[in-house]
PDB file of all heavy atoms in Angstrom:
ATOM      1  N   GLY A1465     -26.677 -16.617 -21.030  1.00 98.00           N
ATOM      2  CA  GLY A1465     -27.883 -15.877 -21.476  1.00 98.00           C
ATOM      3  C   GLY A1465     -28.242 -16.318 -22.872  1.00 98.00           C
ATOM      4  O   GLY A1465     -27.561 -16.983 -23.461  1.00 98.00           O
ATOM      5  N   GLU A1466     -29.305 -15.596 -23.311  1.00 98.00           N
ATOM      6  CA  GLU A1466     -29.813 -15.787 -24.668  1.00 98.00           C
ATOM      7  C   GLU A1466     -28.739 -15.445 -25.692  1.00 98.00           C
ATOM      8  O   GLU A1466     -27.998 -14.564 -25.523  1.00 98.00           O
ATOM      9  CB  GLU A1466     -30.927 -14.834 -24.947  1.00 98.00           C
ATOM     10  CG  GLU A1466     -31.641 -15.011 -26.333  1.00 98.00           C
ATOM     11  CD  GLU A1466     -32.723 -13.948 -26.570  1.00 98.00           C
ATOM     12  OE1 GLU A1466     -33.067 -13.254 -25.543  1.00 98.00           O
ATOM     13  OE2 GLU A1466     -33.206 -13.945 -27.763  1.00 98.00           O
ATOM     14  N   GLY A1467     -28.593 -16.470 -26.759  1.00 98.00           N
ATOM     15  CA  GLY A1467     -27.628 -16.238 -27.793  1.00 98.00           C
ATOM     16  C   GLY A1467     -26.240 -16.729 -27.399  1.00 98.00           C
ATOM     17  O   GLY A1467     -25.381 -16.700 -28.301  1.00 98.00           O
ATOM     18  N   VAL A1468     -26.146 -17.283 -26.303  1.00 98.00           N
ATOM     19  CA  VAL A1468     -24.790 -17.965 -25.819  1.00 98.00           C
ATOM     20  C   VAL A1468     -24.890 -19.426 -25.945  1.00 98.00           C
ATOM     21  O   VAL A1468     -25.863 -20.079 -25.388  1.00 98.00           O
ATOM     22  CB  VAL A1468     -24.258 -17.434 -24.528  1.00 98.00           C
ATOM     23  CG1 VAL A1468     -22.907 -17.984 -24.177  1.00 98.00           C
ATOM     24  CG2 VAL A1468     -24.311 -15.932 -24.452  1.00 98.00           C
ATOM     25  N   PRO A1469     -23.922 -20.204 -26.495  1.00 97.00           N
ATOM     26  CA  PRO A1469     -24.041 -21.607 -26.587  1.00 97.00           C
ATOM     27  C   PRO A1469     -24.095 -22.265 -25.250  1.00 97.00           C
ATOM     28  O   PRO A1469     -23.327 -22.027 -24.385  1.00 97.00           O
ATOM     29  CB  PRO A1469     -22.736 -21.936 -27.374  1.00 97.00           C
ATOM     30  CG  PRO A1469     -22.320 -20.697 -28.164  1.00 97.00           C
ATOM     31  CD  PRO A1469     -22.734 -19.525 -27.235  1.00 97.00           C
ATOM     32  N   GLU A1470     -25.092 -23.190 -25.121  1.00 97.00           N
ATOM     33  CA  GLU A1470     -25.155 -23.988 -23.876  1.00 97.00           C
ATOM     34  C   GLU A1470     -23.936 -24.811 -23.586  1.00 97.00           C
ATOM     35  O   GLU A1470     -23.718 -25.169 -22.462  1.00 97.00           O
ATOM     36  CB  GLU A1470     -26.453 -24.820 -23.940  1.00 97.00           C
ATOM     37  CG  GLU A1470     -27.797 -23.930 -23.822  1.00 97.00           C
ATOM     38  CD  GLU A1470     -28.135 -23.649 -22.388  1.00 97.00           C
ATOM     39  OE1 GLU A1470     -27.343 -24.200 -21.425  1.00 97.00           O
ATOM     40  OE2 GLU A1470     -28.954 -22.758 -22.149  1.00 97.00           O
ATOM     41  N   ALA A1471     -23.175 -25.119 -24.671  1.00 97.00           N
ATOM     42  CA  ALA A1471     -21.976 -25.986 -24.482  1.00 97.00           C
ATOM     43  C   ALA A1471     -20.923 -25.325 -23.589  1.00 97.00           C
ATOM     44  O   ALA A1471     -20.162 -25.949 -23.111  1.00 97.00           O
ATOM     45  CB  ALA A1471     -21.369 -26.233 -25.833  1.00 97.00           C
ATOM     46  N   LEU A1472     -20.994 -24.010 -23.341  1.00 98.00           N
ATOM     47  CA  LEU A1472     -20.194 -23.448 -22.437  1.00 98.00           C
ATOM     48  C   LEU A1472     -20.402 -23.775 -20.977  1.00 98.00           C
ATOM     49  O   LEU A1472     -19.394 -23.545 -20.141  1.00 98.00           O
ATOM     50  CB  LEU A1472     -20.253 -21.829 -22.463  1.00 98.00           C
ATOM     51  CG  LEU A1472     -19.614 -21.219 -23.812  1.00 98.00           C
ATOM     52  CD1 LEU A1472     -19.838 -19.821 -23.802  1.00 98.00           C
ATOM     53  CD2 LEU A1472     -18.136 -21.430 -23.774  1.00 98.00           C
ATOM     54  N   VAL A1473     -21.568 -24.077 -20.504  1.00 98.00           N
ATOM     55  CA  VAL A1473     -21.897 -24.505 -19.171  1.00 98.00           C
ATOM     56  C   VAL A1473     -21.037 -25.568 -18.728  1.00 98.00           C
ATOM     57  O   VAL A1473     -20.847 -26.505 -19.319  1.00 98.00           O
ATOM     58  CB  VAL A1473     -23.336 -24.685 -19.134  1.00 98.00           C
ATOM     59  CG1 VAL A1473     -23.690 -25.102 -17.607  1.00 98.00           C
ATOM     60  CG2 VAL A1473     -24.145 -23.471 -19.526  1.00 98.00           C
ATOM     61  N   GLU A1474     -20.453 -25.334 -17.475  1.00 98.00           N
ATOM     62  CA  GLU A1474     -19.547 -26.300 -16.846  1.00 98.00           C
ATOM     63  C   GLU A1474     -18.236 -26.403 -17.477  1.00 98.00           C
ATOM     64  O   GLU A1474     -17.385 -27.199 -17.169  1.00 98.00           O
ATOM     65  CB  GLU A1474     -20.246 -27.750 -16.758  1.00 98.00           C
ATOM     66  CG  GLU A1474     -21.448 -27.763 -15.849  1.00 98.00           C
ATOM     67  CD  GLU A1474     -21.236 -27.194 -14.435  1.00 98.00           C
ATOM     68  OE1 GLU A1474     -20.198 -27.549 -13.802  1.00 98.00           O
ATOM     69  OE2 GLU A1474     -22.058 -26.578 -13.843  1.00 98.00           O
ATOM     70  N   ARG A1475     -17.951 -25.416 -18.196  1.00 98.00           N
ATOM     71  CA  ARG A1475     -16.409 -25.386 -18.767  1.00 98.00           C
ATOM     72  C   ARG A1475     -15.685 -24.379 -17.994  1.00 98.00           C
ATOM     73  O   ARG A1475     -16.126 -23.446 -17.624  1.00 98.00           O
ATOM     74  CB  ARG A1475     -16.550 -24.986 -20.282  1.00 98.00           C
ATOM     75  CG  ARG A1475     -17.132 -25.822 -21.290  1.00 98.00           C
ATOM     76  CD  ARG A1475     -16.375 -27.224 -21.301  1.00 98.00           C
ATOM     77  NE  ARG A1475     -15.029 -27.205 -21.655  1.00 98.00           N
ATOM     78  CZ  ARG A1475     -14.483 -27.123 -22.906  1.00 98.00           C
ATOM     79  NH1 ARG A1475     -15.428 -27.104 -24.052  1.00 98.00           N
ATOM     80  NH2 ARG A1475     -13.257 -27.124 -23.033  1.00 98.00           N
ATOM     81  N   GLY A1476     -14.411 -24.938 -17.766  1.00 98.00           N
ATOM     82  CA  GLY A1476     -13.471 -23.926 -17.047  1.00 98.00           C
ATOM     83  C   GLY A1476     -13.232 -22.846 -18.039  1.00 98.00           C
ATOM     84  O   GLY A1476     -13.059 -23.120 -19.291  1.00 98.00           O
TER      85      GLY A1476
END
Side-chain angles (χ1 to χ4, degrees):
E1466 180 184 349
V1468 180
E1470 286 285 342
L1472 283 176
V1473 176
E1474 295 304 321
R1475 294 299 304 273

